């Protein structure tokens, strides 16, 4: 998802939130809010998972201590050769 599309989604979620607090939402607006919220959460989780999977963890001496599970995922994605 592009940053522009994400910003528009967040802006619309916030707009619906404020309208809900001020005067309430129609059934159609409530469905839209729920759909946008679920899509936002799905995209957030996918992005977070990708960030975590791409992490390389080093100890204080500079030795890599990345878990074997993370290394396997990185190898599968072609991010790691060893």
């Amino acid at each position: 998802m592009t940053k522009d599309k994400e910003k528009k989604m967040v802006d619309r979620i916030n707009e619906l939130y404020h309208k809900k607090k001020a005067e309430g939402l129609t059934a159609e607006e409530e469905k839209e809010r729920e759909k946008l919220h679920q899509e936002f959460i799905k995209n957030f989780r996918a992005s977070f998972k990708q960030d975590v999977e791409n992490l390389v963890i080093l100890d204080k001496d500079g030795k890599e201590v990345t878990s074997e599970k993370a290394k396997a995922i990185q190898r599968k994605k072609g991010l790691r050769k060893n």
Side-chain angles (χ1 to χ4, degrees):
M1 172 181 288
T2 65
K3 291 287 183 185
D4 187 49
K5 185 176 178 184
E6 183 178 349
K7 180 172 179 3
K8 286 178 183 178
M9 182 186 302
V10 170
D11 289 346
R12 181 63 179 153
I13 291 169
N14 288 333
E15 181 182 326
L16 291 169
Y17 169 79
H18 291 293
K19 183 177 180 194
K20 181 178 181 178
K21 290 291 182 183
E23 61 195 74
L25 298 176
T26 65
E28 187 176 292
E29 289 171 329
E30 186 60 40
K31 287 179 186 177
E32 178 188 7
R33 187 201 65 78
E34 182 63 29
K35 180 181 173 193
L36 288 170
H37 182 74
Q38 291 302 319
E39 185 178 346
F40 178 82
I41 295 295
K42 181 180 122 189
N43 291 332
F44 175 83
R45 287 178 177 160
S47 176
F48 187 78
K49 181 180 178 184
Q50 183 178 9
D51 289 347
V52 170
E53 288 175 348
N54 292 337
L55 283 177
V56 174
I57 302 168
L58 305 175
D59 68 10
K60 65 180 179 177
D61 298 323
K63 181 181 174 194
E64 184 178 2
V65 292
T66 306
S67 73
E68 287 304 317
K69 182 177 179 180
K71 288 179 183 179
I73 291 169
Q74 291 167 355
R75 284 185 199 101
K76 185 177 178 181
K77 289 184 170 186
L79 301 172
R80 176 181 287 273
K81 293 179 182 177
N82 61 350

